Amino acid sequence: MSFIPLPPGSSLGMATERSDAARNRERLLAAARELIDECGAEGLTMNQLAERAGVGKGTVFRRFGSRAGLMLNLLTESEADFQARFMFGPPPLGPGAPAAERLTAFGTERISYVLEFGDLLLAAEASPHHRLDVPAAVLAQRHLQMLLEAEGIQEETWLLAGALAATLDPERLLHAVRVHKVAPERLQGSWRQLVARLVRN
Amino acid sequence: MSFIPLPPGSSLGMATERSDAARNRERLLAAARELIDECGAEGLTMNQLAERAGVGKGTVFRRFGSRAGLMLNLLTESEADFQARFMFGPPPLGPGAPAAERLTAFGTERISYVLEFGDLLLAAEASPHHRLDVPAAVLAQRHLQMLLEAEGIQEETWLLAGALAATLDPERLLHAVRVHKVAPERLQGSWRQLVARLVRN
DNA sequence: ATAATAAACGGACCGGAGTCCGTTTACACA
DNA sequence: TGTGTAAACGGACTCCGGTCCGTTTATTAT
């Protein structure tokens, strides 16, 4: 008799998932991409998705928690990519350039990223318990904070970084581009200006 | 026979509303305030509201268009108040003070306002076709733009004003205060710093 | 092979926002 | 006071995200 009933997966704590679960996740992700191709991200419904993937609705929600969770999942790859670029990639976005230039690069690159994945990002933001606590957002804000500190700013760098992050909010950027027909280059220009004015000594 | 069937209200184009409609609007607004007292703004449902006001659900939606529209309506008074203060009120928020000081004052006052009406503002933001085009938001952004220009900034003042407005976004401010326990005074301090760094010559 | 079990499954169900359309009513005019 | 009409009304209905819980199944131990 084992007092601690060992988890059934690997011998150390079940990091694996059951094979049917894995299969269903693949199906769901594939179906989701199909549907988004066909109807756009905002047109995807969870019922549709379940049906298309040939699974029950409960399965969809167990896997992803919510609609926003699904969208987040679809974004993980590109988000990880972006993170890797600003943390380990070549300058001026990655380490090696002066902090001010990295700040500028961060914004312009982020703007491009947001415009590329717009609908998905929008759909992912409808998170029930807070889009601002999503790991990628926290990481980005800490990165901004670090760059501000590297530029010699000392007070309230966390909040200042939050202010900068707010400027890059997908909803706002997409609103400017789609409703007000602002060219992406102008957004990037105004970011450059904002950063330049903030960090000049 | 009149070729142009005159609208039934006043002789010039019916700006008035039918008496039953007016009565129902009052009932609805009163009922909404009651329910918000009892359950909070996020706890109010449109069914509840209709029932409490003794009207049909269709009436609620004809009157306010959506849940967000209702919340916006409940905010009109305080929003108008705030607008009046920054447009016509005493300095430093109103005209008479240097633009830089008015900018600072705008932010600190807005932060207080947002923290006071937090839940209502949050509920009003779930607008279907864009929280950023609500008249009050447009006006505020134009005000910020004007102040930036008065400080000698010339390029992309509209976008820069948008960036500043983003900083004052209710969701972000309330998240900082409620989740991260940031004191309102710190938020105001970081706004002051942001403005000071932006407009120093 | 068999049994035990925890996890995964599926789909009926729920609550809430927003729509639709047949009915009622306030108002203007006669 | 009566009548025509546009507006207002109400509530059943649709659609959707999310939950619940009884059933099935992969896995592991014997």
Side-chain angles (χ1 to χ4, degrees), chain A residues 156-179:
Chain A
E156 300 292 20
T157 51
W158 166 254
L159 290 176
L160 245 22
L164 285 179
T167 286
L168 300 173
D169 177 60
E171 188 171 347
R172 188 166 285 271
L173 294 177
L174 288 165
H175 183 256
V177 169
R178 311 232 256 232
V179 179

Side-chain angles (χ1 to χ4, degrees), chain B:
Chain B
M1 50 165 77
S2 59
F3 293 109
I4 302 171
L6 286 178
S10 74
S11 52
L12 18 67
M14 157 81 145
T16 70
E17 78 188 325
R18 246 170 65 170
S19 62
D20 53 346
R23 178 176 41 79
N24 280 339
R25 176 163 69 246
E26 289 319 307
R27 278 199 201 170
L28 281 165
L29 255 18
R33 280 187 255 267
E34 275 180 41
L35 286 170
I36 287 173
D37 273 3
E38 293 169 21
C39 323
E42 66 294 314
L44 175 148
T45 81
M46 299 304 261
N47 279 329
Q48 252 185 335
L49 175 58
E51 191 181 356
R52 177 72 66 107
V55 305
K57 199 179 185 177
T59 302
V60 185
F61 280 91
R62 182 155 0 79
R63 213 46 78 215
F64 302 110
S66 69
R67 204 184 115 100
L70 166 72
M71 299 301 181
L72 234 34
N73 210 294
L74 289 170
L75 279 168
T76 47
E77 194 180 343
S78 58
E79 283 282 2
D81 212 73
F82 185 74
Q83 281 172 28
R85 286 200 294 139
F86 71 68
M87 292 197 302
F88 313 116
L93 183 53
E101 284 173 36
R102 291 188 72 190
L103 264 178
T104 298
F106 183 91
T108 56
E109 292 293 315
R110 186 66 188 175
I111 288 167
S112 296
Y113 178 82
V114 167
L115 297 182
E116 180 173 356
F117 294 97
D119 296 315
L120 227 41
L121 285 161
L122 245 31
E125 289 202 342
S127 179
H129 289 91
H130 249 301
R131 72 185 218 224
L132 302 163
D133 283 325
V134 117
V138 173
L139 195 62
Q141 187 167 340
R142 272 217 287 267
H143 183 69
L144 288 171
Q145 179 182 13
M146 182 266 282
L147 293 175
L148 288 174
E149 287 170 359
E151 273 298 315
I153 297 180
Q154 284 163 7
E155 293 171 19
E156 299 292 22
T157 50
W158 165 254
L159 290 176
L160 246 21
L164 285 180
T167 286
L168 299 174
D169 176 61
E171 187 172 347
R172 188 167 286 271
L173 294 177
L174 288 164
H175 183 255
V177 169
R178 311 231 256 230
V179 179
H180 293 292
K181 308 292 186 207
V182 175
E185 295 74 24
R186 281 186 58 204
L187 285 173
Q188 291 168 330
S190 83
W191 167 268
R192 252 189 295 276
Q193 197 192 349
L194 180 67
V195 168
R197 286 181 168 275
L198 259 188
V199 303
R200 79 198 135 141
N201 293 312

